[in-house]
Amino acid sequence: MLRFAPSPTGDMHIGNLRVAIFNYIVAKQKNERFLLRIEDTDIERNIEGKDKEIMEILKKFNIKWDELLYQSQNINFHQNFAYKLLQEKKAFACFCTPQELEIEREKAKKEKRAYRYSGKCEEITIEEASKRAEPFVIRIKKPKSSIKFEDILKGKMSFDPNEVDSFVILRADGRPTYNFACAIDDMLHDITYVIRGEDHLSNTPKQIHIRKALGYTKDIIYCHLPIILNIHGKKMSKREKASSVKWLLEEGFLPEAIANYLILLGNKTPKEIFTLNEAIEWFDLKNLSNSSPKFDIDKLRYINREHLKLLQEEKLAKLLGYEDSQIGELAKIYLEEASTLNELKNKIDKIFNEKRDYKDFEKEANILKENILEVIKNSENFDEFKKELMKKSSLKGKQFFKPLRIMLTNQEHGPELSKIFPILKNKIEEVAKWW
Ligand code: GLU
C-alpha cells in the first residue's frame, strides 16, 4: 500500500500535492492500494476544516484514495507499542523536565555541537518509574549500530546511533510524536513505498529504528523528493501565494495543468503536455532530478494555456460560467492573450456583461449603431461586413475600427476581429444590449 499523509495544519502546499500525485501514480503503476492518512496528532497545530479541504483538493485532481484514516484513530496502537518497548527495555521513562532539557540544548548551541539527549534517565526501570508521581515521556533508546537504507534518489544512506539519538516517542499526555505515529502506521498498513519531501530525510532512520525495535522486518522503499524552490532559488515559504494549491485553483489554473507541471518539474518526461493518466504509463521516480527544481509560474501559465486549448468547448464555457459552447470557442481564440480561467473570464464577461465606453469615439459609435445590426445580419463573413459598414457609415481607418472593436468586444485590443466575428455574429443580440 502507498500513502499520502498530510497534516491538517494549513493550506495544501504545492510540494504536498506533488507528493500526493507521485504516491498515487506509483500506487496505480504497482496496482497497490492508496491510503489517505490525515496526520492529526499534533492537536495544537490542527486547523478545523483543513482535512476536508485537502480531500476536496485531491478530488479536483482526480486522486482517489482507497482508504481513509485519521491518525488519531490509531492512538491505542501507538500507546500499546510504546509500552511494549518500555517493557522490553528498548525504551525508557524520561523524567527530565522541559526546563532541564532547554538548558542542555542551550549548552550544546553555545558549544556549537548538535544537541543529543544526555542519557540521564536511561537506566530508570519500569518499577522505579511507576513509583514516581511526576509526569514523564517515553524515549526509545538509540540504536546500537548505524541505521542504513537506500533511497531511490539519494542512494545509500547511513545514520550513526548518535544521529538517531534516544528520542521521545510518547509525550507526557500520552500522545505519540510524529515519528512514532508515522512509523507505527506505516507498519500497520503494510506500506511498501514512502515518497515524501526531503525535509523528512532525517526522520527516516528514526522511523526505521522504531519498527526494527518492534521486530518488523519488512524494508520500506524510500524516495525523498528535493524541495521545490521559488524562481529566485529560495525555499518557497507558505506566505508565497503560488505555493498554495488553493490559491492556484482560485486564480484559474486547471487541476490537470497544475498536475502536469508538478510532474514535469525536475523530471525527464517523454513529452511536455500530458494528463495524469498518461503519466501513469511512463512515470519513473528514477528520472527525477536530485537537485531542487524551481517553480516558474510563467511555465505553469503556458501549460495551463495548453490544457485550456485541449478542453472541449462546452466544458470551457461552463468553467467560465456560460452554457453555450460557442463561448468556449470564443474563449479559445482569446487564449492568445490569456492564460488562466480568471483572465479569460474577465475578457469574455466584458463582451457580454458591460456597458460600452467609447472614449473619444462616441460620435463614430453613434453612426455605426445606426446600421451595424442590419449589416451584420446580411453579411456572410467579416470582409463583407466591414466593407458594407464602411460604406454605410462613411467611416474608415481608426475612426471605424476603434469604435467597432469597442462595440463588439468592449476592449481596445484583442484578437483579430475577423477571427471572432463569426461567433459574435451569432451572439449579436446579447452584445448589442450594451451599446
Ligand atoms: N504529515 C507529514 C507531512 O505532512 C507526513 C510526512 C510523511 O509522509 O511521512 O509532512
Side-chain angles (χ1 to χ4, degrees):
M1 184 181 266
L2 281 92
R3 81 331 185 254
F4 174 50
S7 308
T9 53
D11 277 5
M12 199 198 271
H13 190 277
I14 44 163
N16 294 123
L17 177 62
R18 187 162 176 250
V19 164
I21 292 172
F22 290 177
N23 277 290
Y24 175 75
I25 292 180
V26 175
K28 288 282 156 229
Q29 288 176 330
K30 308 269 172 203
N31 211 2
E32 292 205 38
R33 292 166 69 73
F34 182 57
L35 166 72
L36 172 60
R37 184 171 77 215
I38 306 286
E39 301 211 320
D40 59 345
T41 46
D42 194 353
I43 25 185
E44 293 89 16
R45 292 183 57 228
N46 287 348
I47 298 176
E48 172 103 28
K50 285 291 163 190
D51 52 339
K52 296 276 166 345
E53 199 176 286
I54 292 167
M55 290 184 230
E56 286 310 312
I57 289 180
L58 293 179
K59 278 188 206 152
K60 287 199 173 111
F61 283 81
N62 239 329
I63 297 177
K64 299 181 198 90
W65 52 94
D66 304 298
E67 263 179 58
L68 171 66
L69 173 81
Y70 283 77
Q71 192 156 52
S72 53
Q73 287 170 241
N74 272 353
I75 190 143
N76 284 341
F77 288 109
H78 306 141
Q79 291 173 338
N80 284 333
F81 280 121
Y83 278 92
K84 178 174 151 62
L85 291 175
L86 193 61
Q87 262 152 10
E88 291 172 355
K89 298 196 172 55
K90 291 173 179 164
F92 58 92
C94 173
F95 291 89
C96 294
T97 62
Q99 292 80 356
E100 272 176 81
L101 295 171
E102 195 43 44
I103 293 170
E104 285 177 22
R105 252 187 218 111
E106 281 300 314
K107 192 161 171 258
K109 208 169 143 190
K110 266 197 202 123
E111 293 167 12
K112 293 198 166 63
R113 57 178 169 84
Y115 163 76
R116 303 285 179 241
Y117 176 64
S118 67
K120 187 178 166 198
C121 298
E122 210 168 307
E123 299 309 323
I124 297 175
T125 61
I126 304 193
E127 292 71 34
E128 273 171 67
S130 60
K131 285 185 201 127
R132 291 171 68 162
E134 319 100 270
F136 64 89
V137 300
I138 297 179
R139 282 180 191 269
I140 189 168
K141 288 184 183 168
K142 63 185 172 195
K144 301 235 180 327
S145 54
S146 301
I147 300 285
K148 295 184 187 346
F149 63 92
E150 186 146 357
D151 182 276
I152 293 186
L153 290 178
K154 316 256 166 225
K156 285 191 172 31
M157 303 295 301
S158 175
F159 291 81
D160 66 58
N162 280 333
E163 270 179 282
V164 180
D165 206 11
S166 298
F167 60 93
V168 179
I169 55 175
L170 210 67
R171 297 183 176 97
D173 63 4
R175 279 184 301 124
T177 56
Y178 155 69
N179 273 316
F180 196 61
C182 180
I184 301 291
D185 294 347
D186 285 345
M187 174 176 92
L188 291 176
H189 290 90
D190 193 18
I191 296 300
T192 47
Y193 281 80
V194 167
I195 305 163
R196 60 183 173 193
E198 69 184 1
D199 47 328
H200 286 289
L201 193 59
S202 62
N203 289 324
T204 299
K206 291 187 161 72
Q207 295 175 11
I208 292 175
H209 176 47
I210 290 163
R211 285 191 298 267
K212 276 196 172 160
L214 287 167
Y216 190 71
T217 52
K218 178 169 166 165
D219 281 330
I220 291 177
I221 300 166
Y222 282 93
C223 181
H224 288 93
L225 305 170
I227 300 300
I228 301 174
L229 301 178
N230 66 19
I231 199 75
H232 309 295
K234 299 245 161 61
K235 199 179 158 194
M236 261 185 124
S237 79
K238 292 217 163 98
R239 262 165 288 133
E240 270 175 83
K241 286 192 195 130
S243 72
S244 157
V245 178
K246 201 168 115 190
W247 183 83
L248 290 172
L249 291 170
E250 282 166 4
E251 277 299 290
F253 288 98
L254 295 170
E256 45 274 46
I258 301 172
N260 183 154
Y261 181 59
L262 291 177
I263 297 169
L264 188 71
L265 203 57
N267 196 359
K268 286 201 264 315
T269 60
K271 46 182 173 163
E272 196 170 41
I273 305 298
F274 48 80
T275 63
L276 183 59
N277 280 337
E278 283 175 270
I280 293 172
E281 288 168 27
W282 45 252
F283 179 80
D284 189 347
L285 289 166
K286 292 197 184 80
N287 285 335
L288 291 170
S289 154
N290 200 12
S291 51
S292 283
K294 284 185 189 164
F295 185 89
D296 177 359
I297 194 135
D298 288 332
K299 181 80 189 211
L300 175 59
R301 289 169 61 79
Y302 156 74
I303 290 174
N304 201 52
R305 208 157 53 225
E306 294 305 306
H307 279 274
L308 285 166
K309 282 184 200 162
L310 293 172
L311 281 183
Q312 281 182 341
E313 278 73 16
E314 206 179 327
K315 170 108 191 270
L316 179 54
K318 278 219 171 76
L319 288 173
L320 296 170
Y322 294 83
E323 286 304 319
D324 183 350
S325 67
Q326 285 183 93
I327 301 295
E329 239 177 278
L330 180 65
K332 284 196 177 178
I333 303 171
Y334 270 90
L335 278 176
E336 281 174 13
E337 46 184 61
S339 304
T340 66
L341 283 173
N342 293 11
E343 289 168 4
L344 271 183
K345 186 165 170 57
N346 184 16
K347 293 192 184 285
I348 302 296
D349 282 356
K350 270 200 176 131
I351 304 175
F352 295 105
N353 296 309
E354 269 179 40
K355 194 148 177 51
R356 273 44 175 168
D357 172 5
Y358 299 104
K359 307 217 166 79
D360 300 332
F361 297 95
E362 191 88 34
K363 201 177 84 214
E364 290 80 357
N366 284 334
I367 299 174
L368 292 179
K369 271 182 217 170
E370 285 170 25
N371 304 302
I372 184 166
L373 280 178
E374 194 203 318
V375 178
I376 280 193
K377 278 178 197 140
N378 296 324
S379 315
E380 286 289 318
N381 55 45
F382 183 68
D383 261 356
E384 231 179 274
F385 163 76
K386 185 179 71 180
K387 272 191 204 130
E388 189 56 25
L389 192 59
M390 275 181 165
K391 207 164 88 193
K392 288 227 153 80
S393 65
S394 308
L395 295 167
K396 57 180 190 297
K398 210 166 145 188
Q399 266 64 34
F400 177 79
F401 285 107
K402 278 265 175 188
L404 179 63
R405 181 175 279 283
I406 294 175
M407 279 181 127
L408 291 178
T409 70
N410 197 20
Q411 286 149 88
E412 286 182 62
H413 306 280
E416 280 182 37
L417 288 176
S418 57
K419 281 196 200 164
I420 53 180
F421 178 79
I423 301 162
L424 291 182
K425 175 172 149 64
N426 292 337
K427 316 270 324 165
I428 203 65
E429 312 288 336
E430 287 162 61
V431 173
K433 272 196 295 204
W434 302 100
W435 289 348

